[in-house]
Amino acid sequence: MSGFTNDAPLVAAFAKAHRIAVLTGAGVSAESGLSTFRGQGGIWQKFRAEELASMDGFLANPDIVWEWYNYRREVLSKAKPNPAHAALAEWESECEEFTVITQNVDGLHRAAGSMDVVELHGNITINRCLSCDQEMREQPTRWEGKVPLCSCGGRLRPGVVWFGEMLPEDAIMRAIHAAETCDMFISIGTSTVVYPAASLPMIAAEHGAYTVEVNPDETPFSRYANLIMREPAGEAVPRLHELWRKESMARNER
Ligand code: BV8
Ligand code: ZN
């Protein structure tokens, strides 16, 4: 079922949604000009994921990996949050509990004003030292080829979670808690193939949440979603927010 029909379960679900959890993937940032990973023009169509976003890939090709991250940081420096990011930030300010769980490393949810954000896969703007493990936010001053060096002399890597690496414990625990306790779970712009993030929509569904999928394409979760919106996030998310606002105000007047 795509778009809205005024059927009772949908209206009832929106009216009683006090605790909302949102999972976002690269698709929510597509309209900010950031390439997705697997969609049209996806970054990885030119490369295989393991060559770039993994420790083995980094150790084998440190300069290529840093060229890729520097390219993404360059594109990100010109990117702005889009109407989907903005609607989620506004929605959070009106809702009792509203958690944005993101697989993205672009920081655009916080840039849009979202406060309760769980960055499952880290943040591309942070560097971390392979030797002393300290995080470095300031600009490096020394390089080994294209690889920036820490003040301790160790090689720096982007502060993101690579394939084969564990997600930050607190992030995945917060994400699972939000999925288990929310009334409504909205999955936006993710191909729902990268685990453990991809397990969150199903966890929410199994705990009785009303689930919504916003994605122009089908995903492995589509068949379980209560509401599907086959359209870009920049159009769908503001409409979802408006529908929730209308129904929750109507509830308060009853
Ligand atoms: C882990 C950070 C425990 C880096 C990313 C074999 C060996 C090792 C591991 C595994 C293995 N088999 C499986 C695994 C687990 C692996 C995994 O799931 N692999 C998949 C590919 C099968 N997961 C891991 O390794 C995770 N760690 O499991 O640790 C462990 C340890 C050792 C051994 C085993 C297990 C770590 C995963 C994190 C990897 N890091 N990113 C960086 O960004 O550089 S993942 C990367 O993919 C991004 O974070 C991205 O978010 C994520 C998922 O992609 P999506 O966000 O969904 O983006 P995608 O392009 O795929 O889809 C975009 C969607 O948007 C599309 O559907 C498109 O239609 C839609 N769209 C397009 N435009 C719009 C739109 N939607 C709305 N509006 C639009 N306008
Ligand atoms: Zn160091």
Side-chain angles (χ1 to χ4, degrees), residues 54-109:
S54 68
M55 181 55 85
D56 292 348
F58 178 71
L59 295 176
N61 307 292
D63 284 2
I64 292 179
V65 171
W66 264 110
E67 256 175 61
W68 181 48
Y69 281 96
N70 287 335
Y71 159 73
R72 288 170 65 189
R73 284 177 176 175
E74 181 55 32
V75 174
L76 178 54
S77 66
K78 301 183 187 81
K80 296 267 173 294
N82 64 56
H85 296 105
L88 292 174
E90 201 181 345
W91 199 341
E92 175 186 351
S93 67
E94 300 160 356
C95 190
E96 220 169 286
E97 278 179 43
F98 195 95
T99 302
V100 174
I101 305 157
T102 189
Q103 300 171 85
N104 301 338
V105 295
D106 57 34
L108 288 180
H109 285 298

Side-chain angles (χ1 to χ4, degrees), residues 139-218:
Q139 279 307 314
T141 53
R142 290 184 298 155
W143 281 264
E144 187 186 85
K146 292 210 174 6
V147 180
L149 299 180
C150 171
S151 45
C152 82
R155 295 197 291 179
L156 293 175
R157 57 163 289 176
V160 298
V161 177
W162 279 333
F163 284 102
E165 293 185 328
M166 305 299 277
L167 276 58
E169 184 69 23
D170 64 300
I172 194 65
M173 297 311 285
R174 276 176 65 201
I176 292 171
H177 178 72
E180 287 178 339
T181 55
C182 65
D183 310 309
M184 180 174 287
F185 190 96
I186 308 171
S187 184
I188 306 171
T190 177
S191 54
T192 326
V193 297
V194 173
Y195 283 81
S199 58
L200 293 169
M202 191 48 85
I203 290 173
E206 284 163 357
H207 282 75
Y210 184 87
T211 57
V212 184
E213 178 175 80
V214 176
N215 193 323
D217 294 346
E218 188 154 352

